[in-house]
Amino acid sequence: MSLDKEKNILIVGAGLCGSLLAIRLGQLGFNVCLTEKRSDIRTTTVDGGRSINLALSDRGLKALRMVGLEHKIREICIPMYGRMLHFENGETKLSPYSGRQDEYINSVSRNDLNRILIEEADIHPNVEILFDHDCIDVNIDESKAQFTFNGKERIIDTDIIIGTDGAGSIVRKELFDKRNDEKLSIEFLDHGYKELEIPPGESGGYQIEKNALHIWPRGDYMIIALPNMDGSFTVTMFNAYQGANSFEEIDQTGFRKYIEDGFSDLMPFIEDLEKSYHENPVGKLGTVKCYPWQDEGKTLIMGDAAHAIVPFYGQGMNASFEDVTIFNEVLDQGHENWESLFQAFQTRRHPSAVAIADLAVDNFYEMRDHVADEDFIKKRQLEMKLEQEYPAYYSKYSLVTFKEDLPYEEAKAKGRAQDEYLLKLVKEKALSEIDLNKLVETLTQ
Amino acid sequence: MSLDKEKNILIVGAGLCGSLLAIRLGQLGFNVCLTEKRSDIRTTTVDGGRSINLALSDRGLKALRMVGLEHKIREICIPMYGRMLHFENGETKLSPYSGRQDEYINSVSRNDLNRILIEEADIHPNVEILFDHDCIDVNIDESKAQFTFNGKERIIDTDIIIGTDGAGSIVRKELFDKRNDEKLSIEFLDHGYKELEIPPGESGGYQIEKNALHIWPRGDYMIIALPNMDGSFTVTMFNAYQGANSFEEIDQTGFRKYIEDGFSDLMPFIEDLEKSYHENPVGKLGTVKCYPWQDEGKTLIMGDAAHAIVPFYGQGMNASFEDVTIFNEVLDQGHENWESLFQAFQTRRHPSAVAIADLAVDNFYEMRDHVADEDFIKKRQLEMKLEQEYPAYYSKYSLVTFKEDLPYEEAKAKGRAQDEYLLKLVKEKALSEIDLNKLVETLTQ
């Protein structure tokens, strides 16, 4: 017996994960209907026209390679070779992401990426895309989904429903209302974020270093900036909601003073930053972990719906794309029925989702508290040296970001053990005293 | 400055926690409105007339003592001095809860207890009770709650809202929709439960030992029974939803065969058990942990709304009652405003709530897997001996159940350490070889 490929598959949510999944299932000949609550991204302006960008790295690129889109997407990518650290005294320092030349991450526009994925999905005659379809209810047992479309109610009757409808997933909610053994954890940090903008220079150029992810680490708060293709930067500030240097405090004492006091090298852009500060909302930073992800081979959740994470490892999109890679691999194994397929997928993928969620929270504290810390900088220097001289050695960051075939849970276990060892070492010894050969032997055994 | 006592307090949910809180706040002179979605328990039959009972122990009794109801409630209590273990071969063995005579737990009817609490709350002219008021929405910022009452909508405008509306709390949902830093975890076991009944004997007597909590431990599944005042027992079966000895399997192979095969000493009651098996639903077993519990001194959640736990330590009601004890103590400290009061309450109480939630899940595995285990029985024998001969020594169970002033988190830490130590000891030595004096010295230092 082999998998019934004639089933109708409804994918709820045409964001990054849903549209990539639709492409892959379309390529494999499945009957797919992809729905999206927003209007067609190809003909509308979204997010009030703001540029939101994301870090695309090897795991995401691997998934795009699978569907044949890597080259097309690389054309809209800006390589970022390292973290450009901006200290309080105005000095900067570039901290490379890897000691190897070909390992870097990319800044990419969420909208441009999503538009290309939608265009590609739409090429397949067996993939139907329905925009302006807002999913308001799902009948898990009967595989029916209810939408509002043009102010009217519409029911779609299908065989299989895959929810890629994000962190607040309605498919997940209905799946768990039906089941009786679900586990769900939703945790928000006591920090939120706000997106600002540095526009292109007068001649259209980049006003700060183009090929880096900029970080202004300040202990309990920080600012980051990623480049856009048009010469602008999307700037994100992370602050507590309340207390010292919080959004509440900034609203009281003034944004301009906040930048002047702690981020003087951003003062040249203060007019634009201040304008966007007052226009844009504060976003929440949450982690969603849950299980199980499937029910009876008829319902499945993927991407943020199954494992939303905080953005501090730049892995949110990459993890969602990797879901599609893994789903494809599990499909390839040849399952007898959809339940066995879905169960194999969740069993294989869930530990990875938990691991990257934990790593992302770890990195929040690392970026916030330690990026400017002396021992931490010494440890990064040691890691760079090791990566340059020993191709077999990968830092935790490199394991997560560049080892595209290594499951996140293994990257986490190995990376944490290495981190602990190296931090202890740099506290005890000067860099010049460390025997690198012996160290690499210890770390890679 | 001192606390503004003139504020109107709306308590949503007149279950065990809400009604006890209403009594205490009523006694202290606050203006309280207590709402309940069900009809008045004093004039209606609830739960289809089923007897549902609970284990009331020292922490719960302490809270009842505070409001002056201990004696009245003790009149409807049936003391249970130990666990009566029913083995597969039909043999039974009584395992006392404590080596001290005056330490036991009590079986009490949830309905009778709730009715007495409602009667008591209603005595206070400053406590208004509104039945048939189903809370459907809460405006956290404006302290307004929306109800359906007699098919119509009703808004109650108040100063402070306290949600004691259970595990699926609507107050908690609205509190978290408003906040941006919430943490929420909801975990269901892959086991559910079903309540059955053993009726009184023909002459009205108890058909099995009255003064014990009966357990039929069978590895991955079990049955328990607690006595009621009318001579009946409420029997609860705990089984996985799927797999061996699951509800699914029992539905297929038949309840009678299930009892015959594994619980032969229950066969005399098979007619009644079978009838209730087919009538009653399978309930879910969930743990809810969340934080924070308050917002701006205007909203607070307590009881199951803040910390629902599984029933395996018999502490669900006791923990909710203890919330009221602790709230009263924090009130006594003299806070300047409600926000400071609510914050002090959640800071003090949250670690206890997490601890008892973890202990309750532990005990699920202990009752299920180990109660009939040889090492475990040996350890219990050793603990009994210690408790009989050394008044200063308390087992983990006794710390949780009988040390009414010890915070759950301390009981958990101390109890787990002791358990580990004793289990290791009984595996290494015969009971007769153990030097009790030395052991107690080690454990109580």
Side-chain angles (χ1 to χ4, degrees), chain B residues 177-306:
Chain B
D177 277 355
K178 188 237 149 157
R179 291 194 68 94
N180 36 36
D181 60 349
E182 74 273 19
K183 288 148 189 52
L184 170 66
S185 135
I186 303 178
E187 300 213 353
F188 291 95
L189 299 180
D190 54 5
H191 283 58
Y193 71 96
K194 195 182 269 223
E195 281 152 342
L196 315 176
E197 204 197 39
I198 295 176
E202 279 177 25
S203 53
Y206 291 86
Q207 303 205 59
I208 55 177
E209 165 61 38
K210 174 186 177 185
N211 292 111
L213 189 154
H214 296 263
I215 308 186
W216 290 256
R218 296 293 181 268
D220 192 35
Y221 53 104
M222 69 171 172
I223 291 178
I224 66 169
L226 275 75
N228 296 310
M229 296 285 282
D230 66 357
S232 69
F233 285 83
T234 303
V235 177
T236 310
M237 51 191 289
F238 296 92
N239 298 74
Y241 295 108
Q242 295 181 310
N245 297 293
S246 66
F247 284 112
E248 194 181 67
E249 190 182 88
I250 297 168
D251 285 342
Q252 281 163 11
T253 58
F255 176 74
R256 181 178 287 258
K257 183 170 160 35
Y258 174 73
I259 295 297
E260 221 165 31
D261 287 355
F263 307 90
S264 56
D265 63 344
L266 281 173
M267 282 305 285
F269 322 112
I270 190 68
E271 302 301 329
D272 292 292
L273 293 173
E274 192 163 23
K275 184 164 173 287
S276 44
Y277 181 85
H278 293 299
E279 282 170 359
N280 296 341
V282 174
K284 296 168 71 167
L285 296 165
T287 301
V288 176
K289 294 178 185 171
C290 65
Y291 202 78
W293 292 352
Q294 77 92 31
D295 187 70
E296 296 187 0
K298 291 194 294 187
T299 317
L300 179 68
I301 50 174
M302 282 173 74
D304 281 0

Side-chain angles (χ1 to χ4, degrees), chain A residues 162-186:
Chain A
I162 302 182
T164 50
D165 50 342
S169 173
I170 181 101
V171 179
R172 182 183 69 225
K173 182 187 174 299
E174 297 301 326
L175 173 68
F176 287 174
D177 277 355
K178 189 233 148 159
R179 292 194 67 96
N180 36 36
D181 60 350
E182 75 273 18
K183 288 148 188 53
L184 170 66
S185 132
I186 302 179

Side-chain angles (χ1 to χ4, degrees), chain A residues 225-240:
Chain A
L226 276 74
N228 295 310
M229 296 287 282
D230 66 357
S232 69
F233 286 82
T234 303
V235 177
T236 310
M237 51 192 290
F238 297 91
N239 298 73

Side-chain angles (χ1 to χ4, degrees), chain B residues 324-394:
Chain B
V324 182
T325 307
I326 301 295
F327 189 76
N328 183 68
E329 285 181 27
V330 175
L331 255 173
D332 266 357
Q333 293 167 350
H335 286 268
E336 287 195 347
N337 57 56
W338 287 87
E339 183 158 19
S340 144
L341 171 70
F342 284 5
Q343 280 178 343
F345 173 71
Q346 70 178 4
T347 302
R348 163 110 179 257
R349 189 61 179 156
H350 182 253
S352 304
V354 170
I356 191 57
D358 293 341
L359 284 165
V361 170
D362 283 2
N363 228 35
F364 167 61
Y365 296 105
E366 184 170 312
M367 289 174 83
R368 209 189 60 178
D369 302 336
H370 306 308
V371 165
D373 171 274
E374 207 174 297
D375 286 334
F376 182 85
I377 290 171
K378 218 169 127 191
K379 173 178 150 278
R380 279 304 289 165
Q381 286 172 345
L382 177 58
E383 288 181 321
M384 284 306 105
K385 251 174 123 170
L386 290 173
E387 294 204 331
Q388 280 156 8
E389 298 179 25
Y390 302 87
Y393 170 78
Y394 277 72

Side-chain angles (χ1 to χ4, degrees), chain A residues 150-167:
Chain A
N150 279 344
K152 287 186 194 145
E153 180 185 296
R154 181 175 177 188
I155 306 266
I156 296 181
D157 203 334
T158 186
D159 300 312
I160 288 164
I161 297 174
I162 302 182
T164 50
D165 50 342

